[in-house]
Amino acid sequence: MNTSRSTGSRGRTAALAVLLTTGALTVSSPDAQAGSARTETAVASNAGVTESLVRVKAPLPASFGARPAACDWLSYLRYRSSSGPASSADADRVLVAQPGILEGAGAFDSVARNTVTRAAEQGRHIEFWALDRRSNCLEDRTGIASGDQHTAVDYYYRGKKVEGRTFAGFVGNDKLGWMAKLGIEQTVRDEYDLLAAELPDQGVRKDKVLCGGHSLGGVITGYFAAADFDGDPATTTDAGHNQCAGWFALDTTVSTSLGDLSGSLPDDTDLPDVGLGYGVVQAGLDSGVLPRSLSAPVLLNPETMTLLAIAGVGALQDPGGEADLPGYLPANTNIEATNRFLFSKDTVTFLTGSPAVKDFRLTNQAVLGSLMDDQSVPLAFLQSSVGFFDGGPITDKNFPAVNGSSSQPGLFGTEYKAIPAVPRGPLYTWRDYDRVGDQDDPGYRSSDGTPFTAAGKEVTDIQELARSMAAQPLDFTEQYFPTKLVTDLELAGSPQVKRLVVHPDGLTANPALTVLAGDGLLAGRVPADLHPVVADGYQHLDVLTAAPVQNNGRPEPVSTALTEFARAPR
């Protein structure tokens, strides 16, 4: 029995319900005035952490062409101690985090709160800035922000208005011409411009800012470290490494290579063949022949990314209530294919579509768990360890890979997958991370006798995950990821990309912290020379989403390491 934890799931659920209720109302700060170059809007805060949404005007060059006015702004979520200074320049430290691939600022919610809280407990006031990529300006959060699952579905799929607004539809490739130039050069420029606007004193930046990221964010940070921003390599005050006091990497490394992220991209994404060469790829992006936004036929596209957030709304709205989302969604090819991909126990089920997800009785929590848990979702870079199914018989999920197969692709991870066994049967519930291994846990096993999970491998609270996905003004996932950002990095050897690495020594000019997920993207090939902190049992997303207190009663190690690094980078 896990008796060391002082707060149970029921208490957290009630607290988070209050948070969602208060989060539906945001208050504009005095800065949020018409014509202002900066706005800051309060977001619901709790447990001594104050959160706000900050937007800073930073117009793109005219060469990018026509784009929505919202895309001339940069956005981030600012987390700070409620008892700390109001001005970022007066904080003891500011951590600035770049998101990973297909990831938005909302994904950092838990690790940001945990880190700010832990530092405050030690008498220090730090800030955590979760950056949002510029292309996320295209996302419409109106339906999600309603806080009601049916309202969200009606808004995005049935043309119903919310707060007087009608959804304009998911943006097609023909409307994304400006994103054809949104690669690594503009991405690191955006970070520099944001830092310079928010902390104008370069000395303050160099003394107080720690720069880093998760997953692909580590590679972006590497290019930032090596960049020169005034066009004169001889003057280094503007160099990337002189904007930060140190680097941090969360299940990644600070580098200029995609090598450490191998296996993090599905094979069926709409990614151009980089063998064509930089010029040909750029011409294809400019003309629209090549997709300007990364997507895949199922799961990884704007429509299905929106479904993840809608599932989060249901888990917050009524965690233990029986879900009607699978039946309430409209029937279309994209949603049907995604549901089959995620909820088929074998190839026959996938091909026939029977039994379908709507044939099972699931709570709202169980729906979210089936979409995000490492024993359910097949894509490793989308997996978190949020508990396990409960309430009825469970069977092996042998699609798209067979449990225990030695030939299982790295993209799918190594965890055994599970799925409810009885359609139209019992109400399947969700056992939260901190109840796995308790005396009433059935201890579900695979057909070969292998336990599906154990207490030491469950680290993320499903209600905190739901909050991050559904109660944040900036998305957890990313609907419009710039294809050019990945093709630039895959073409790192081309002259057009190599020229961006002006100060290669910047990668090692500052102290660095590397925190790796024990079961994440670098599992089995941990770079020992970096002396990383390894979070045992963690999946790729868990380094962002883990609960503040773990099943062993100890504080989660990611924010613990970040807090210590912020105290004294070394």
Side-chain angles (χ1 to χ4, degrees):
M1 184 77 174
N2 298 319
T3 58
S4 60
R5 296 178 299 277
S6 59
T7 304
S9 297
R10 184 177 301 175
R12 282 193 312 275
T13 298
L16 287 169
V18 172
L19 178 64
L20 176 63
T21 301
T22 58
L25 298 175
T26 58
V27 181
S28 294
S29 73
D31 292 323
Q33 300 172 357
S36 173
R38 181 186 190 274
T39 68
E40 183 163 6
T41 306
V43 180
S45 302
N46 71 331
V49 178
T50 294
E51 179 188 355
S52 56
L53 166 60
V54 180
R55 298 191 190 277
V56 176
K57 193 166 188 178
L60 286 167
S63 59
F64 275 70
R67 66 267 179 190
C71 301
D72 277 335
W73 291 72
L74 301 174
S75 303
Y76 70 95
L77 295 177
R78 180 191 179 200
Y79 298 84
R80 63 184 179 88
S81 172
S82 299
S83 60
S87 171
S88 300
D90 294 330
D92 294 316
R93 193 77 69 182
V94 178
L95 279 66
V96 179
Q98 281 279 357
I101 195 165
L102 298 168
E103 188 173 276
F108 288 94
D109 182 59
S110 288
V111 70
R113 292 177 184 276
N114 294 348
T115 304
V116 171
T117 299
R118 205 164 305 287
E121 291 170 350
Q122 299 172 7
R124 291 177 291 114
H125 300 298
I126 69 174
E127 296 198 6
F128 195 111
W129 296 1
L131 305 185
D132 214 36
R133 242 179 302 278
R134 186 186 286 268
S135 51
N136 290 345
C137 61
L138 298 169
E139 297 178 358
D140 182 351
R141 296 282 289 172
T142 305
I144 303 302
S146 73
D148 181 80
Q149 197 172 57
H150 284 185
T151 300
V153 172
D154 290 344
Y155 178 75
Y156 294 113
Y157 299 101
R158 297 192 172 96
K160 294 189 178 181
K161 289 185 177 181
V162 173
E163 298 294 330
R165 179 170 182 166
T166 302
F167 183 52
F170 299 106
V171 185
N173 191 52
D174 60 323
K175 302 289 180 60
L176 300 177
W178 66 278
M179 281 180 56
K181 295 180 173 62
L182 200 60
I184 186 62
E185 183 173 13
Q186 187 61 47
T187 300
V188 297
R189 167 62 69 176
D190 284 349
E191 182 170 358
Y192 176 81
D193 288 346
L194 180 66
L195 283 172
E198 294 290 86
L199 297 169
D201 188 331
Q202 184 269 337
V204 170
R205 299 197 295 272
K206 180 59 180 171
D207 181 53
K208 293 190 175 185
V209 174
L210 299 175
C211 302
H214 173 244
S215 191
L216 187 73
V219 181
I220 294 171
T221 300
Y223 274 89
F224 183 85
D228 186 90
F229 292 101
D230 72 350
D232 183 358
T235 59
T236 58
T237 302
D238 63 289
H241 65 272
N242 280 326
Q243 314 311 308
C244 315
W247 317 118
F248 62 91
L250 305 179
D251 207 34
T252 184
T253 60
V254 176
S255 70
T256 54
S257 169
L258 280 176
D260 289 338
L261 301 179
S262 60
S264 65
L265 280 175
D267 293 334
D268 59 354
T269 50
D270 290 333
L271 192 62
D273 180 3
V274 294
L276 296 172
Y278 184 96
V280 176
V281 169
Q282 186 61 56
L285 292 170
D286 288 338
S287 67
V289 171
L290 299 179
R292 288 120 171 196
S293 178
L294 201 65
S295 65
V298 297
L299 187 58
L300 304 179
N301 54 66
E303 182 175 47
T304 49
M305 288 295 193
T306 301
L307 290 179
L308 294 177
I310 293 175
V313 170
L316 279 178
Q317 188 181 36
D318 186 11
E322 185 167 354
D324 66 356
L325 179 62
Y328 195 74
L329 287 169
N332 66 39
T333 301
N334 188 23
I335 292 175
E336 171 67 16
T338 297
N339 283 340
R340 288 195 190 190
F341 181 73
L342 291 175
F343 216 81
S344 292
K345 69 175 183 177
D346 51 32
T347 303
V348 172
T349 305
F350 175 74
L351 294 175
T352 63
S354 181
V357 60
K358 60 186 177 183
D359 295 325
F360 292 83
R361 298 180 61 211
L362 306 167
T363 63
N364 288 307
Q365 275 190 339
V367 168
L368 181 59
S370 69
L371 292 173
M372 296 297 295
D373 187 64
D374 56 344
Q375 267 79 49
S376 182
V377 67
L379 301 179
F381 71 98
L382 280 178
Q383 294 174 357
S384 55
S385 307
V386 292
F388 197 73
F389 291 107
D390 207 351
I394 302 296
T395 190
D396 288 78
K397 184 178 186 294
N398 289 316
F399 179 85
V402 176
N403 280 341
S405 171
S406 59
S407 60
Q408 183 165 315
L411 174 64
F412 297 150
T414 59
E415 300 299 321
Y416 274 50
K417 303 299 185 288
I419 194 169
V422 184
R424 293 172 290 278
L427 177 63
Y428 284 93
T429 60
W430 192 259
R431 181 171 289 267
D432 205 357
Y433 87 104
D434 60 349
R435 293 185 56 239
V436 172
D438 280 358
Q439 290 181 355
D440 65 342
D441 186 349
Y444 295 101
R445 292 175 178 266
S446 168
S447 61
D448 67 5
T450 303
F452 281 113
T453 190
K457 294 178 73 67
E458 300 299 334
V459 303
T460 292
D461 185 310
I462 193 166
Q463 288 302 107
E464 291 185 6
L465 178 63
R467 178 194 65 202
S468 299
M469 299 188 74
Q472 293 299 314
L474 299 179
D475 211 344
F476 184 105
T477 55
E478 186 173 20
Q479 297 177 20
Y480 301 97
F481 180 90
T483 302
K484 180 173 170 56
L485 181 52
V486 173
T487 56
D488 277 358
L489 299 178
E490 290 199 328
L491 291 163
S494 68
Q496 296 92 333
V497 180
K498 285 177 66 176
R499 67 176 179 80
L500 303 176
V501 183
V502 179
H503 303 288
D505 292 344
L507 290 162
T508 55
N510 297 322
L513 168 69
T514 302
V515 183
L516 300 179
D519 295 331
L521 296 186
L522 278 74
R525 50 192 183 94
V526 174
D529 59 311
L530 296 180
H531 308 290
V533 173
V534 178
D536 292 332
Y538 277 45
Q539 295 292 341
H540 186 54
L541 281 182
D542 288 323
V543 296
L544 304 184
T545 61
V549 180
Q550 295 292 277
N551 276 324
N552 57 10
R554 297 176 63 84
E556 60 90 3
V558 181
S559 63
T560 300
L562 285 171
T563 302
E564 178 60 24
F565 186 63
R567 183 186 66 80
R570 61 182 183 275

